[in-house]
């Protein structure tokens, strides 16, 4: 993904196709998933955090390959050492309680919510952001 205006994430191009902004990219990518000519499964980050065992079970069934042993390890230490390191609790709170929304002005959240494809949001079990 290459956006000419990296700050506002507008005027973007990916694989030779032009998009007005990253919201349009999200809408298009999820539409592409629905048009895949082969079976697929979607693994959402949020679900992996909240229900790791059931997500792994779902992936196992989707692949049709039984795993010998499912191992789920919750790591307390940060996954990275640069920038703002985040451990499991921080990632979980960000995803489940949408704490990241506090960084955005209400007008931006409303703009994004109005531009997201509501049918895709429903199909892929996303909700419109609320503070």
């Amino acid at each position: 993904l290459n956006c000419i205006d990296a700050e506002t994430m507008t005027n973007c191009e990916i694989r030779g196709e032009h998009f007005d902004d990253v919201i349009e990219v999200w809408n298009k990518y999820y539409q592409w998933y629905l048009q895949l000519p082969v079976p697929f499964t979607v693994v959402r980050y949020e679900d992996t955090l909240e229900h790791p065992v059931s997500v792994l079970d779902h992936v196992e069934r989707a692949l049709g390959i039984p795993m010998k042993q499912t191992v789920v390890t919750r790591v307390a230490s940060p996954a990275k050492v640069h920038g703002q390191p985040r451990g499991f609790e921080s990632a979980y709170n960000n995803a489940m309680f949408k704490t990241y929304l506090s960084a955005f002005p209400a007008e931006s959240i409303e703009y994004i919510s109005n531009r997201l494809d509501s049918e895709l949001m429903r199909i892929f079990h996303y909700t419109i952001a609320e503070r």
Side-chain angles (χ1 to χ4, degrees):
L1 176 65
N2 180 29
C3 295
I4 292 175
D5 188 339
E7 186 175 328
T8 61
M9 298 300 285
T10 56
N11 200 4
C12 304
E13 185 177 310
I14 188 166
R15 296 183 183 156
E17 188 167 347
H18 179 266
F19 300 92
D20 291 333
D21 54 34
V22 294
I23 302 164
E24 190 178 7
V25 171
W26 188 92
N27 287 334
K28 188 68 169 182
Y29 260 78
Y30 277 80
Q31 289 168 358
W32 286 339
Y33 286 134
L34 295 177
Q35 296 168 0
L36 287 173
V38 296
F40 70 95
T41 190
V42 174
V43 177
R44 295 179 344 137
Y45 176 71
E46 302 92 323
D47 297 334
T48 305
L49 285 174
E50 191 168 22
H51 309 288
V53 173
S54 62
V55 168
L56 289 173
D57 288 343
H58 172 77
V59 170
E60 180 180 302
R61 285 191 309 277
L63 291 173
I65 303 171
M67 296 180 191
K68 291 182 181 179
Q69 181 180 10
T70 301
V71 179
V72 178
T73 304
R74 188 170 290 176
V75 180
S77 61
K80 64 179 185 174
V81 294
H82 63 283
Q84 292 183 320
R86 301 188 195 280
F88 175 81
E89 185 177 345
S90 176
Y92 182 85
N93 287 337
N94 253 339
M96 296 302 109
F97 304 115
K98 297 181 167 86
T99 56
Y100 56 86
L101 291 176
S102 63
F104 297 97
E107 303 81 34
S108 295
I109 293 172
E110 182 178 1
Y111 174 79
I112 292 166
S113 296
N114 289 334
R115 299 243 4 258
L116 289 169
D117 184 316
S118 59
E119 181 62 10
L120 292 173
M121 296 284 285
R122 184 192 64 75
I123 290 168
F124 291 99
H125 307 283
Y126 286 105
T127 57
I128 297 297
E130 294 180 15
R131 286 185 194 232

